[in-house]
Amino acid sequence: MSKTVEEFLYPAMENFKIDFVVDKGPYAKTINFNLKPFTLIGATTRSGLLTTPLRDRFGILYHLEFYGEEDLATIVQTSAGKLGVDGQQDAFLSIARRSRGTPRIANRLLRRVRDYAQVQANKNRIDCAIVDMTMKALGIDDLGLDDLDRRLLRVIKTHYAGGPVGIEALSATLNEEPDTIVDVLEPYLLKAGFLRRTGRGRELTEEAKKIV
């Protein structure tokens, strides 16, 4: 968010007013608009990029954790109903376990399982066998790790003896942008306990060494 837009929000958040400046120079004048009371809700995964004045104007600050498997299974079941797909509770849990604690990933995987069931199995019902076959085709294992996740872990283990290794070296070895590693791959690997960040770089945990 640009600083101009941010400062434009300040009077709206504090006094329910917005000031528009019309014309320039000596002809400039300010037009005030009163706003009806409203509630502003903001969401970001990078709160550190918000300026302190903007962040402090929010009355309540929450930090949201990843979803648990039971909650994700409920989300998958609800989404399946909206898609007109029937399924076993165990199948919904199986999808939830591979969803990295994120509903949008759970819904994406559900749609792929639905596609596989309808095209390959010629039925509109999903079970654990259909889920397993779909995940195998997508390269997603029981832990929710995909090919790129496992490749990252293997590179650290085989090329750098388990670490530590810097992000630039990892990026060059994997031929991936550093932002992809930091923003896409690392959050779940850190949460799952497969990766550690140290002052010298990234290194594998003992648990990660067992699966790669």
Side-chain angles (χ1 to χ4, degrees):
M1 183 184 297
S2 70
K3 187 175 181 180
T4 302
V5 174
E6 186 175 307
E7 292 180 349
F8 191 73
L9 286 173
Y10 292 165
M13 296 174 70
E14 292 180 333
N15 303 314
F16 300 111
K17 293 182 180 180
I18 293 180
D19 300 327
F20 287 98
V21 178
V22 181
D23 292 331
K24 297 180 180 179
Y27 301 102
K29 59 182 179 180
T30 301
I31 300 177
N32 299 317
F33 284 88
N34 294 320
L35 303 174
K36 293 182 179 180
F38 65 92
T39 299
L40 179 63
I41 300 174
T44 179
T45 57
R46 308 183 72 180
S47 59
L49 298 182
L50 296 177
T51 63
T52 301
L54 177 62
R55 187 168 57 247
D56 289 346
R57 280 178 167 82
F58 285 91
I60 302 174
L61 300 177
Y62 287 110
H63 179 74
L64 303 180
E65 298 292 342
F66 286 98
Y67 281 69
E69 288 184 6
E70 294 292 337
D71 292 330
L72 282 172
T74 300
I75 292 172
V76 172
Q77 184 174 9
T78 301
S79 298
K82 293 179 180 178
L83 293 173
V85 179
D86 191 17
Q88 298 175 347
Q89 185 63 29
D90 288 346
F92 298 143
L93 278 170
S94 183
I95 294 173
R97 277 195 298 271
R98 295 169 165 95
S99 299
R100 305 166 76 106
T102 308
R104 66 175 177 273
I105 295 178
N107 287 327
R108 174 172 62 83
L109 295 180
L110 171 64
R111 288 192 290 271
R112 300 294 73 80
V113 173
R114 184 271 316 266
D115 294 342
Y116 192 97
Q118 292 179 343
V119 175
Q120 298 294 333
N122 195 29
K123 59 183 180 180
N124 206 41
R125 177 178 172 81
I126 59 176
D127 53 33
C128 289
I130 292 292
V131 173
D132 290 342
M133 287 186 286
T134 306
M135 296 302 122
K136 183 178 181 180
L138 295 174
I140 299 174
D141 63 20
D142 292 341
L143 300 172
L145 304 181
D146 60 20
D147 291 334
L148 189 54
D149 294 317
R150 292 190 294 271
R151 186 173 162 223
L152 171 64
L153 297 178
R154 282 196 301 268
V155 162
I156 297 177
K157 181 179 181 179
T158 58
H159 288 64
Y160 301 101
V165 53
I167 190 65
E168 295 298 333
L170 269 180
S171 173
T173 307
L174 289 170
N175 195 27
E176 293 286 346
E177 291 294 326
D179 288 346
T180 300
I181 298 174
V182 173
D183 296 331
V184 178
L185 302 181
E186 279 192 349
Y188 181 69
L189 294 177
L190 289 167
K191 170 188 173 292
F194 297 136
L195 200 63
R196 280 194 299 263
R197 280 185 182 177
T198 70
R200 298 171 56 198
R202 278 71 174 168
E203 63 182 19
L204 298 183
T205 63
E206 292 303 318
E207 190 65 28
K209 292 177 183 178
K210 297 176 183 178
I211 64 173
V212 294

Coordinates of all heavy atoms in Angstrom, one line a residue, residues 83 106-118 130 134-135 138:
L83 N -20.0 -28.8 -4.3 CA -19.6 -29.3 -5.6 C -20.5 -30.5 -6.0 O -20.4 -31.0 -7.1 CB -18.2 -29.8 -5.6 CG -17.1 -28.7 -5.4 CD1 -15.7 -29.4 -5.2 CD2 -17.1 -27.8 -6.6
A106 N -6.8 -27.1 0.7 CA -7.7 -28.2 0.9 C -8.8 -28.2 -0.2 O -9.1 -29.3 -0.8 CB -8.4 -28.1 2.3
N107 N -9.3 -27.1 -0.5 CA -10.3 -26.9 -1.6 C -9.7 -27.2 -2.9 O -10.4 -27.8 -3.8 CB -11.0 -25.6 -1.5 CG -11.9 -25.4 -0.4 OD1 -12.5 -26.3 0.1 ND2 -12.0 -24.2 0.1
R108 N -8.5 -26.8 -3.2 CA -7.8 -27.1 -4.4 C -7.7 -28.6 -4.6 O -7.9 -29.2 -5.7 CB -6.5 -26.4 -4.5 CG -5.7 -26.8 -5.8 CD -4.4 -25.9 -5.9 NE -3.5 -26.1 -4.8 CZ -2.6 -27.0 -4.7 NH1 -2.5 -28.0 -5.6 NH2 -1.8 -27.1 -3.6
L109 N -7.2 -29.3 -3.6 CA -7.0 -30.7 -3.6 C -8.3 -31.5 -3.8 O -8.4 -32.5 -4.5 CB -6.3 -31.2 -2.4 CG -4.8 -30.7 -2.2 CD1 -4.2 -31.3 -0.9 CD2 -4.0 -31.1 -3.4
L110 N -9.4 -31.0 -3.1 CA -10.7 -31.6 -3.3 C -11.1 -31.5 -4.7 O -11.7 -32.5 -5.2 CB -11.7 -30.9 -2.4 CG -13.2 -31.2 -2.6 CD1 -13.4 -32.7 -2.2 CD2 -14.1 -30.3 -1.8
R111 N -10.9 -30.4 -5.4 CA -11.4 -30.3 -6.8 C -10.6 -31.3 -7.7 O -11.2 -31.9 -8.6 CB -11.2 -28.9 -7.3 CG -12.3 -27.9 -6.7 CD -12.3 -26.6 -7.4 NE -11.0 -25.8 -7.1 CZ -10.9 -25.0 -6.1 NH1 -11.9 -24.8 -5.2 NH2 -9.8 -24.3 -5.9
R112 N -9.3 -31.5 -7.4 CA -8.5 -32.4 -8.2 C -9.0 -33.9 -7.9 O -9.0 -34.7 -8.8 CB -7.1 -32.3 -7.9 CG -6.5 -30.9 -8.2 CD -6.4 -30.5 -9.6 NE -7.8 -30.2 -10.2 CZ -8.3 -29.0 -10.0 NH1 -7.8 -28.1 -9.3 NH2 -9.5 -28.8 -10.6
V113 N -9.3 -34.2 -6.6 CA -9.8 -35.5 -6.3 C -11.2 -35.7 -7.0 O -11.5 -36.8 -7.5 CB -10.0 -35.7 -4.8 CG1 -10.7 -37.0 -4.4 CG2 -8.6 -35.6 -4.1
R114 N -12.0 -34.7 -7.0 CA -13.3 -34.8 -7.7 C -13.1 -35.1 -9.2 O -13.8 -35.9 -9.7 CB -14.1 -33.4 -7.5 CG -15.5 -33.3 -8.0 CD -15.5 -32.8 -9.5 NE -14.7 -31.7 -9.8 CZ -15.1 -30.5 -9.7 NH1 -16.3 -30.2 -9.4 NH2 -14.2 -29.5 -10.0
D115 N -12.2 -34.3 -9.8 CA -11.9 -34.6 -11.2 C -11.5 -36.0 -11.5 O -11.9 -36.6 -12.4 CB -10.8 -33.6 -11.7 CG -11.3 -32.1 -11.6 OD1 -12.5 -31.9 -11.6 OD2 -10.4 -31.2 -11.7
Y116 N -10.6 -36.5 -10.6 CA -10.1 -37.8 -10.8 C -11.2 -38.9 -10.7 O -11.3 -39.8 -11.4 CB -8.9 -38.1 -9.8 CG -8.2 -39.4 -10.1 CD1 -6.9 -39.3 -10.8 CD2 -8.6 -40.6 -9.7 CE1 -6.2 -40.5 -11.0 CE2 -7.9 -41.8 -9.9 CZ -6.7 -41.7 -10.6 OH -6.0 -42.8 -10.9
A117 N -12.0 -38.7 -9.7 CA -13.1 -39.6 -9.4 C -14.1 -39.6 -10.6 O -14.5 -40.7 -11.0 CB -13.9 -39.2 -8.1
Q118 N -14.4 -38.5 -11.2 CA -15.4 -38.4 -12.2 C -14.8 -38.9 -13.6 O -15.5 -39.6 -14.3 CB -15.9 -37.0 -12.4 CG -16.7 -36.5 -11.2 CD -17.2 -35.1 -11.4 OE1 -16.6 -34.3 -12.2 NE2 -18.2 -34.7 -10.6
I130 N -9.5 -43.4 -3.9 CA -9.5 -42.3 -4.9 C -8.6 -41.2 -4.5 O -7.8 -40.6 -5.3 CB -10.9 -41.8 -5.2 CG1 -11.8 -42.8 -5.8 CG2 -10.9 -40.5 -6.0 CD1 -11.4 -43.2 -7.2
T134 N -5.2 -40.0 -6.5 CA -5.0 -38.6 -7.0 C -3.8 -38.0 -6.4 O -3.0 -37.3 -7.2 CB -6.3 -37.8 -6.5 OG1 -7.5 -38.4 -6.9 CG2 -6.2 -36.4 -7.1
M135 N -3.5 -38.2 -5.2 CA -2.3 -37.6 -4.6 C -1.0 -38.2 -5.2 O 0.0 -37.5 -5.4 CB -2.3 -37.8 -3.0 CG -3.4 -37.1 -2.3 SD -3.5 -35.3 -2.6 CE -5.1 -35.1 -3.2
L138 N -0.5 -36.5 -8.4 CA 0.0 -35.1 -8.2 C 1.3 -35.0 -7.5 O 1.9 -33.9 -7.4 CB -1.0 -34.3 -7.3 CG -2.4 -34.1 -7.8 CD1 -3.4 -33.5 -6.8 CD2 -2.4 -33.2 -9.1

